[in-house]
Amino acid sequence: MSKPRRPARTVRQRFTALYGALFLLSAIGLLALTYVVASGPSNISRAAPMGEQPYRSSALAAAQERIGQLEAELAQAETHQSRQLLLGSAVALGVMAVVSMVLGRFVAGRVLRPLRAITATTRRISADNLHERLAVAGPADEVKDLADTIDGLLERLEGSFAAQRRFVADASHELRTPLATMRASLDVAVAKPEPVPEQTVSLAGRLRTELDQVDRLLDGLLVLARAQHGAMVDRAAVSLGDAVAAALEARAAGIAAQDLTVRTDLGDVRTRGSRTLLSRMVDNVIDNAVRHNRPGGWIQVAATAADGTALLVVETGGDALDQEQVALLARPFQRLGPDRTHSGDGSGLGLTIVAAVAAAHGGALDLSARPAGGLRVAITLPSVPG
């Protein structure tokens, strides 16, 4: 699954800008009101004492001069005070701008925290763990309504997936009975005491071949349904190296018939899961490498482990392949043209089963075309200590 593209401007950034702007406008309004009130005209009246005689003219002139000096000093002090107030307001406004952005980001984070939790949980849920639910607690608000809607959608999807897998498993199982009946009828028809025509024997042989092909297809569907359903009761530590060695030994005749060169680098790599499914996964990968190889070709298998991850890589030589077509090989019944279907005895589900088994064990399948020609199959799985 590709990583979702991050938007150029997130909702948190927009909320931060909105909350910051609101805080900043409030601070500007408050500071402007304070400045207006502090710098308003002073209404101080001075009244001469009642009943007193006026001073002499010289004393009056001196008093008026002194009053003028005091008024000038007062005006100068008021101007200085206004400048100080303006400067303090500008500093306070800058501080409030920073505080507004910090508070806006904090508030936006608190508001969006439930949505981030819903997004992370929804992104983690896939077809392999549809049983999980968001189960958001809290008041009945818009966020909880969204979470409950997603939970309802997941429940419907889980039911649909389960019904599909049950249908595939049941249909594959039920179809085995008529196949066995047809195979028995062929055996009875060929085993009659009287001489059987050669055409009948040839037809019976071809029908047996087709029945075997259908039987392998049904077996593949059963394994695929089991892997996708996650029914793994036989979980244990499985050695990938032992599974590869067993798969190569079982196909020794086919390898020798095509004169294939096999190179292996198998370390003590273990993973935990269903021994049956993991063995089938390795069998399918090795079988695919042998079946779709050229005479005199080669196969290279390596199993390594690092940082808690087990890696199984199977490479084969051959013609140059188209990466876009290679990426589709994990789909059911997908092949790369007639050059990869000449054998005619495959079910078309080999790599599909490999991808399903790997996903059921918390891993992944990666298919890539080798630059020099051929195919590279890489399987990653969680590793366990040997």
Side-chain angles (χ1 to χ4, degrees):
M1 185 174 67
S2 62
K3 187 177 180 180
R5 184 177 63 87
R6 187 176 180 86
R9 191 178 184 188
T10 63
V11 176
R12 185 173 186 180
Q13 291 174 345
R14 291 197 292 269
F15 277 7
T16 300
L18 176 61
Y19 294 150
L22 291 177
F23 283 131
L24 190 58
L25 289 176
S26 300
I28 292 175
L30 180 60
L31 292 175
L33 181 61
T34 303
Y35 181 78
V36 169
V37 172
S39 60
S42 178
N43 296 322
I44 301 176
S45 61
R46 295 183 295 275
M50 297 295 297
E52 291 186 2
Q53 296 296 327
Y55 291 100
R56 296 190 304 268
S57 58
S58 59
L60 181 60
Q64 290 178 348
E65 182 180 358
R66 180 59 180 168
I67 290 173
Q69 293 177 355
L70 292 175
E71 288 179 350
E73 292 177 0
L74 180 61
Q76 185 178 3
E78 288 180 351
T79 303
H80 180 72
Q81 184 180 5
S82 299
R83 291 176 180 176
Q84 290 293 110
L85 181 61
L86 184 61
L87 179 60
S89 299
V91 173
L93 187 60
V95 173
M96 285 301 299
V98 177
V99 173
S100 299
M101 297 304 295
V102 173
L103 290 178
R105 183 173 179 81
F106 174 75
V107 174
R110 291 296 298 269
V111 171
L112 296 175
R113 181 182 298 174
L115 294 180
R116 289 201 302 270
I118 291 174
T119 302
T121 306
T122 306
R123 188 176 296 163
R124 188 180 67 251
I125 296 176
S126 64
D128 301 312
N129 54 350
L130 284 174
H131 61 279
E132 294 188 16
R133 296 293 182 268
L134 300 177
V136 174
D141 54 9
E142 290 81 356
V143 175
K144 184 168 177 57
D145 288 343
L146 174 62
D148 292 342
T149 302
I150 295 177
D151 283 341
L153 174 61
L154 292 175
E155 185 176 357
R156 293 191 296 272
L157 285 176
E158 182 185 14
S160 177
F161 272 72
Q164 181 184 18
R165 291 162 181 168
R166 283 195 302 270
F167 172 78
V168 173
D170 294 343
S172 301
H173 181 73
E174 292 297 328
L175 286 174
R176 287 185 179 277
T177 300
L179 286 176
T181 302
M182 287 186 286
R183 189 177 284 106
S185 300
L186 287 175
D187 294 338
V188 171
V190 176
K192 290 182 177 180
E194 59 272 14
V196 180
E198 183 178 352
Q199 292 181 347
T200 303
V201 175
S202 176
L203 177 61
R206 289 198 298 271
L207 288 177
R208 282 197 190 94
T209 301
E210 295 300 325
L211 289 175
D212 291 341
Q213 173 72 7
V214 175
D215 191 61
R216 282 190 294 270
L217 175 60
L218 293 178
D219 180 65
L221 289 174
L222 281 171
V223 174
L224 181 60
R226 182 184 177 190
Q228 291 179 336
H229 193 60
M232 293 181 291
V233 296
D234 56 337
R235 296 185 69 92
V238 179
S239 172
L240 294 181
D242 293 345
V244 170
L248 290 174
E249 183 179 358
R251 290 156 183 79
I255 293 174
Q258 295 194 60
D259 192 24
L260 300 178
T261 301
V262 179
R263 299 187 294 270
T264 61
D265 181 14
L266 306 177
D268 186 15
V269 181
R270 297 176 182 271
T271 188
R272 182 170 297 277
S274 169
R275 187 179 301 275
T276 302
L277 291 179
L278 290 173
S279 297
R280 181 60 180 268
M281 178 191 72
V282 175
D283 286 344
N284 283 6
V285 174
I286 299 300
D287 187 69
N288 186 78
V290 174
R291 190 191 309 274
H292 302 298
N293 213 318
R294 59 173 59 175
W298 56 270
I299 302 174
Q300 182 170 329
V301 186
T304 58
D307 299 329
T309 300
L311 177 63
L312 175 63
V313 179
V314 179
E315 295 184 82
T316 56
D319 298 332
L321 303 176
D322 184 5
Q323 178 60 39
E324 293 184 359
Q325 295 183 3
V326 167
L328 302 177
L329 286 178
R331 295 183 179 181
F333 313 112
Q334 186 73 30
R335 295 180 173 91
L336 289 178
D339 59 320
R340 292 184 62 83
T341 60
H342 64 277
S343 57
D345 55 354
S347 65
L349 295 173
L351 292 178
T352 306
I353 293 174
V354 171
V357 172
H361 289 80
L365 169 67
D366 180 68
L367 303 174
S368 57
R370 300 181 67 254
L375 183 65
R376 181 181 185 270
V377 179
I379 303 171
T380 55
L381 295 167
S383 66
V384 296

